[in-house]
Amino acid sequence: PPGASAAAAKGKDGKDAAGDAGRLPPKRCTVHVATENLSPSQPVSVLSAAVSSRRRIAQDRADAASIAGNLDAARGVPADCRLGALLDLLYPGPAGRDAADDEDLLDVTIAYLRRVHLFSFYNGCALASDVGTVLSYGSPVGVIHLRLRDADGKLDRVAGEDDGTEREATAKEEGDADGDAEMAAVKAEDDGDGEAGGGTDGSGAAPPATAKDMLV
């Protein structure tokens, strides 16, 4: 009958049987709609010399890796998508990440925390609610932190200046103490001379009083 071939092509449920084979299964996605314009440039903040020092890079890397591991476990991130798997892909070979520079490993870990967990390592307590907030730079997580150049050199110079100031202060205190002792000795000699002479000029008469301007 007319239309029978079309009904057969659609199948019992009325769907196009020929077209179903080429379709992808539907997936859910989250779309962030922002009412503010995205910033033309990402905000950047330069860290202090103390935080930028290479002397703390290894400890910071260990702390960042620990935070990433805890967040991965708490949020059920699959094992092949966690930080360790990512580092194995970035640093393959027998030595692997053991041969990598600690600063590079720290930077990758910080980027992982930002991208995956929306967490800012250097802000510590900052955690964005969604990726749209990070992209629109409405959260501290969107800030990129840069280390201060020659941070260790600056810290060493400041430490040297502090040591020099302390030495000068110590020398001044010692000089003041020596001066006080010398003045005390002179005063003692003067007191001794006054006692021996009885406060007279040798003829038995007291010397004339010297005028003194009390405003000086």
Side-chain angles (χ1 to χ4, degrees):
S5 59
K10 288 185 177 181
K12 295 182 179 179
D13 55 358
K15 294 183 179 180
D16 190 350
D20 286 344
R23 292 180 181 176
L24 294 174
K27 285 188 175 182
R28 292 184 177 182
C29 64
T30 301
V31 178
H32 177 78
V33 179
T35 58
E36 299 178 358
N37 294 328
L38 296 181
S39 174
S41 60
Q42 196 160 17
V44 174
S45 176
V46 179
L47 298 169
S48 67
V51 179
S52 303
S53 173
R54 284 196 62 88
R55 298 163 189 160
R56 58 175 291 163
I57 292 293
Q59 184 60 49
D60 283 351
R61 181 183 69 81
D63 292 341
S66 176
I67 294 171
N70 291 334
L71 290 175
D72 286 343
R75 297 180 176 179
V77 177
D80 57 344
C81 298
R82 295 190 177 189
L83 175 64
L86 174 63
L87 292 176
D88 290 340
L89 290 175
L90 290 175
Y91 302 100
R97 71 185 79 168
D98 292 336
D101 183 73
D102 279 338
E103 189 171 5
D104 293 337
L105 293 172
L106 173 60
D107 289 340
V108 172
T109 306
I110 290 174
Y112 177 87
L113 288 171
R114 290 184 66 251
R115 299 289 186 89
V116 176
H117 295 294
L118 310 181
F119 179 85
S120 174
F121 176 73
Y122 285 116
N123 283 322
C125 60
L127 184 66
S129 57
D130 54 73
V131 68
T133 306
V134 177
L135 294 177
S136 61
Y137 312 132
S139 167
V141 181
V143 178
I144 298 297
H145 294 90
L146 302 179
R147 296 184 188 91
L148 185 65
R149 182 177 298 177
D150 191 29
D152 290 327
K154 290 180 172 61
L155 292 174
D156 291 340
R157 286 192 290 274
V158 170
E161 292 174 0
D162 290 343
D163 290 343
T165 303
E166 185 176 352
R167 285 194 296 270
E168 290 178 2
T170 302
K172 184 177 183 303
E173 291 175 357
E174 292 175 352
D176 292 343
D178 293 341
D180 293 341
E182 184 176 353
M183 291 180 64
V186 171
K187 185 176 184 302
E189 291 178 2
D190 292 342
D191 291 343
D193 293 341
E195 292 175 359
T200 65
D201 58 0
S203 62
T210 304
K212 184 176 182 181
D213 187 351
M214 299 304 294
L215 296 179
V216 176

